């Protein structure tokens, strides 16, 4: 019989491989994220109903104010982490400034970044969305988190992952020892190990990008896309185009099938669209842990030094061969 592994057990076993004397905080932090995933997943599943009930003056039948789903997801994570003492501070896509744990609350040795509901423009049409998270160890001394604790390079991440609210809810995470996926069994309310040691097939089965940006790309970016579509050497290998417009869903599919996701800089997004600290870095860590790669065209994503918490970056992520090929095109090396 196949062994059943809950996410809590898996997280604890992973922490034991990282440290001889684990404090439990790291495990608790990830377990708390899995708990948030269940709560947010419940709201996402009811999204249409909440909207319906909230139409008159944004008050539902219980007299509660109806929040936008991304605010609700944001509040869920903020509230889940502001008191248990695992972190010293957090930064969210929905918060302009960093959120520090105040001195009257217990403070821990980790820093949490998250995008509470990525791709939320897809919510109204019932398309999959996700939560992305990234964890760093605090590096400054004393209990207060300082800006230096937030402005980091992705190589310093100690864990990263995402939750996808799709036909089922899945949480996928890495602590630097492979990438593991868990599917929520709604009947028992537990995430169970369903995808152990995910590796990205090193072939470009899927090309994912918003091709309406084609005219805004540079010649070299266009040349790369044309190459994938029309001029591949292994022209009998089948590449198909798929783009949801929800990073978590696009990344998840490409990680399982093999392929490349691109949101490079363009005339409208001169620095790229996606955010380095809570979108690109976690995906880059997952991609590398699964045997893939991530770049902005010049630099490995995980080497980029953050200078502000909402910094944007170009992101090209997926199977290693095509990411490296993109770098060659971008740097004008593909002809040499
Ligand atoms: P969001 O954080 O405001 O939801 O925006 C990020 C999303 C990503 O999920 C997705 O990859 C990208 O924006 C899609 O952008 P576009 O609509 O320009 O193709
Ligand atoms: Mg986002």
């Amino acid at each position: 019989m196949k062994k059943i592994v809950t996410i809590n057990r898996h997280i604890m076993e992973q922490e034991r491989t990282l440290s001889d004397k684990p404090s439990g905080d790291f495990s608790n932090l990830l377990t708390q994220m899995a708990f948030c995933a269940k709560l947010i997943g419940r709201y996402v599943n009811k999204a249409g109903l909440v909207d319906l009930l909230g139409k008159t003056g944004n008050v539902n039948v219980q007299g509660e104010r109806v929040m936008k789903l991304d605010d609700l997801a944001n509040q869920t994570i903020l509230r889940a982490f502001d008191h248990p003492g695992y972190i010293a501070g957090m930064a969210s896509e929905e918060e302009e400034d960093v959120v520090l744990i105040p001195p009257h609350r217990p403070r821990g040795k980790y820093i949490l970044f998250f995008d509470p509901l990525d791709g939320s423009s897809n919510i109204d049409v019932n398309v999959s969305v996700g939560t992305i998270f990234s964890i760093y160890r605090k590096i400054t001394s004393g209990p207060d988190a300082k800006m230096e604790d937030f402005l980091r390079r992705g190589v310093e991440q100690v864990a990263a992952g995402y939750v996808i609210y799709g036909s089922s809810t899945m949480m996928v995470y890495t602590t630097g020892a492979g990438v593991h996926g868990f599917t929520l069994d709604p009947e028992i309310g537990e995430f169970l190990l369903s995808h152990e040691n995910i590796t990205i097939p090193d072939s470009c089965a899927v090309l994912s990008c918003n091709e309406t940006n084609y005219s805004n790309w540079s010649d070299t970016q266009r040349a790369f896309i044309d190459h994938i579509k029309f001029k591949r050497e292994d022209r009998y290998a089948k590449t198909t185009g798929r783009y949801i417009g929800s990073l978590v869903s696009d990344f998840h599919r490409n990680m399982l099938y093999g392929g490349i996701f691109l949101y490079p800089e363009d005339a409208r997004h001169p620095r790229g669209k996606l955010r380095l600290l809570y979108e690109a870095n976690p995906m880059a860590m997952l991609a590398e842990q699964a045997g893939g790669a991530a770049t902005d065209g010049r630099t490995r994503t995980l080497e980029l030094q953050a200078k502000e918490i909402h910094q944007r970056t170009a992101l090209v992520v997926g199977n290693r061969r095509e990411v490296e090929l993109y770098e060659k095109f971008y740097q004008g090396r593909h002809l040499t």
Side-chain angles (χ1 to χ4, degrees):
M1 198 174 136
K2 208 175 155 216
K3 67 177 178 178
I4 295 176
V5 180
T6 63
I7 198 164
N8 296 15
R9 175 176 152 196
H10 196 270
I11 288 168
M12 279 191 303
E13 284 170 7
Q14 292 267 303
E15 185 173 24
R16 267 187 235 125
T17 65
L18 294 173
S19 157
D20 296 343
K21 290 186 194 136
S23 68
D25 283 5
F26 186 63
S27 291
N28 289 337
L29 205 171
L30 285 167
T31 305
Q32 188 79 335
M33 189 49 77
F35 176 61
C36 290
K38 290 183 207 170
L39 292 175
I40 297 170
R42 198 182 55 167
Y43 303 137
V44 171
N45 289 338
K46 287 190 202 162
L49 292 171
V50 171
D51 222 344
L52 207 63
L53 298 174
K55 270 193 176 145
T56 44
N58 274 357
V59 173
N60 70 15
V61 278
Q62 282 92 36
E64 296 158 341
R65 206 167 67 83
V66 175
M67 275 196 242
K68 270 176 62 200
L69 212 55
D70 28 16
D71 291 339
L72 202 54
N74 186 44
Q75 290 302 326
T76 301
I77 300 177
L78 290 175
R79 285 197 208 142
F81 283 99
D82 70 0
H83 61 280
Y86 312 140
I87 60 168
M90 47 193 155
S92 159
E93 175 168 335
E94 299 292 327
E95 299 290 323
E96 202 173 324
D97 296 318
V98 297
V99 178
L100 302 179
I101 306 300
H104 63 274
R105 295 248 168 90
R107 288 174 290 178
K109 54 181 182 281
Y110 294 100
I111 300 289
L112 171 67
F113 286 91
F114 60 94
D115 182 350
L117 210 59
D118 184 68
S120 51
S121 63
N122 286 313
I123 279 281
D124 290 346
V125 287
N126 221 341
V127 169
S128 303
V129 289
T131 298
I132 311 173
F133 62 91
S134 161
I135 300 166
Y136 292 78
R137 200 177 276 275
K138 182 177 173 299
I139 46 172
T140 59
S141 55
D144 301 321
K146 306 180 187 68
M147 220 33 181
E148 283 165 77
D149 294 309
F150 291 90
L151 300 180
R152 310 286 286 274
R153 291 182 311 142
V155 279
E156 299 173 80
Q157 290 172 106
V158 290
Y162 59 80
V163 183
I164 177 165
Y165 310 102
S167 44
S168 54
T169 299
M170 265 190 85
M171 179 159 153
V172 176
Y173 85 100
T174 182
T175 56
V179 177
H180 310 283
F182 299 78
T183 303
L184 182 65
D185 181 334
E187 282 173 29
I188 56 170
E190 286 277 8
F191 280 105
L192 303 178
L193 181 61
S194 52
H195 297 64
E196 194 169 15
N197 267 318
I198 300 173
T199 51
I200 304 182
D202 201 12
S203 60
C204 193
V206 187
L207 169 66
S208 311
C209 58
N210 186 342
E211 269 203 81
T212 61
N213 288 328
Y214 191 86
S215 60
N216 296 319
W217 289 332
S218 66
D219 288 348
T220 45
Q221 289 165 335
R222 281 198 285 260
F224 174 78
I225 296 294
D226 292 347
H227 174 84
I228 296 286
K229 284 166 62 177
F230 307 121
K231 298 176 200 142
R232 297 163 53 86
E233 290 92 41
D234 52 346
R235 68 187 62 162
Y236 300 110
K238 204 164 146 35
T239 298
T240 192
R242 292 281 185 274
Y243 186 69
I244 297 170
S246 184
L247 175 63
V248 170
S249 314
D250 282 312
F251 178 86
H252 182 70
R253 182 203 49 240
N254 292 7
M255 187 164 65
L256 296 181
Y257 289 168
I260 188 167
F261 170 92
L262 300 93
Y263 214 116
E265 76 277 22
D266 59 47
R268 283 191 309 143
H269 309 95
R271 297 204 167 108
K273 178 179 180 192
L274 300 173
R275 315 295 181 126
L276 176 62
L277 283 162
Y278 43 78
E279 292 177 328
N281 273 343
M283 294 314 187
M285 183 178 183
L286 289 158
E288 288 199 4
Q289 283 293 316
T295 183
D296 69 354
R298 288 206 180 281
T299 307
R300 175 186 171 211
T301 300
L302 294 180
E303 298 284 356
L304 295 168
Q305 172 66 51
K307 297 196 174 72
E308 46 184 327
I309 54 167
H310 297 294
Q311 182 170 325
R312 294 180 192 270
T313 184
L315 176 66
V316 176
V317 60
N319 68 292
R320 181 165 291 280
R321 190 182 63 175
E322 262 65 30
V323 172
E324 286 173 356
L325 187 64
Y326 177 81
E327 285 182 326
K328 278 193 187 158
F329 271 79
Y330 191 86
Q331 296 168 19
R333 291 190 284 115
H334 64 290
L335 298 173
T336 57

